[in-house]
Amino acid sequence: AAPEPVASFYSTSAAAVAGGIAARSLRIPSIGHVIWMSIQSPRLGGHAYVKLLNRLTDQFLACSSAVADMLSGFGTPDNKITVVHNGIPVAEILATEGQPSPIAGPHPRIGMVAAYDPRKGHELFVDAAAIVSARFPEARFFLIGGVLGTRAHRVPVAPRIGALHAARRKVDDERADLD
């Protein structure tokens, strides 16, 4: 195969600065895929980091609207940001077609839809579930999109918390079944 000229340089997460520097040295466009928000803390550090990324990146791909808003809030022009949500395996979703929702039922259903990350507050959801379930014992709680680990098993409400992997079900169907 004949070598092809490089048209652009794509980098993600922590490699975004190095990718931007490489693209600038090759005089080609740089595409930075931002898939996390931890760069915003501390705020002063986030501002300086995004300012550097802005100088090195021609186009940002943000994995969510929240990431796009963060970039914009730190001075990235909106025309440099495109939201591209993380994909999920279509085959796994299609395999659940026609199956009843594990959430459906006569009891009140409360859920959190988010991939597990300690910064997203899953533990706070579990703590809130314990408080709510004391007043509404028939309520059921669901974590959709990620696993919590051992924290859920250390609280009395644990038997009423279900964890569903987002790729195994259609997230919109599950959200629709929540109260």
Side-chain angles (χ1 to χ4, degrees):
E4 296 288 328
V6 178
S8 64
F9 198 99
Y10 168 89
S11 57
T12 185
S13 297
V17 170
I21 292 169
R24 291 295 176 257
S25 69
L26 295 170
R27 293 184 171 87
I28 58 174
S30 171
I31 302 166
H33 194 167
V34 182
I35 58 173
W36 33 256
M37 293 182 60
S38 59
I39 61 174
Q40 69 181 345
S41 179
R43 184 151 181 83
L44 182 60
H47 182 73
Y49 188 70
V50 173
K51 186 174 180 178
L52 174 63
L53 286 179
N54 275 327
R55 294 187 64 192
L56 297 172
T57 307
D58 295 294
Q59 185 67 38
F60 286 96
L61 301 178
C63 71
S64 68
S65 297
V67 170
D69 291 344
M70 177 205 56
L71 290 169
S72 182
F74 280 124
T76 303
D78 288 341
N79 65 348
K80 284 181 68 171
I81 305 168
T82 302
V83 175
V84 178
H85 296 281
N86 294 333
I88 54 177
V90 174
E92 291 185 26
I93 294 171
L94 293 176
T96 67
E97 196 69 41
Q99 293 180 5
S101 169
I103 292 178
H107 45 269
R109 299 164 305 265
I110 303 164
M112 176 178 180
V113 180
Y116 178 73
D117 182 305
R119 297 167 291 187
K120 292 187 178 181
H122 288 77
E123 288 82 3
L124 183 61
F125 176 82
V126 172
D127 292 344
I131 293 167
V132 171
S133 67
R135 183 158 181 210
F136 301 97
E138 70 283 2
R140 298 296 177 263
F141 304 90
F142 297 91
L143 294 169
I144 303 168
V147 296
L148 184 60
T150 60
R151 174 72 175 108
H153 305 292
R154 294 193 308 236
V155 295
V157 74
R160 290 193 297 273
I161 296 179
L164 305 174
H165 189 288
R168 306 268 184 245
R169 302 282 312 167
K170 293 180 180 175
V171 173
D172 286 339
D173 290 349
E174 304 305 357
R175 275 197 317 223
D177 285 336
L178 293 172
D179 295 316

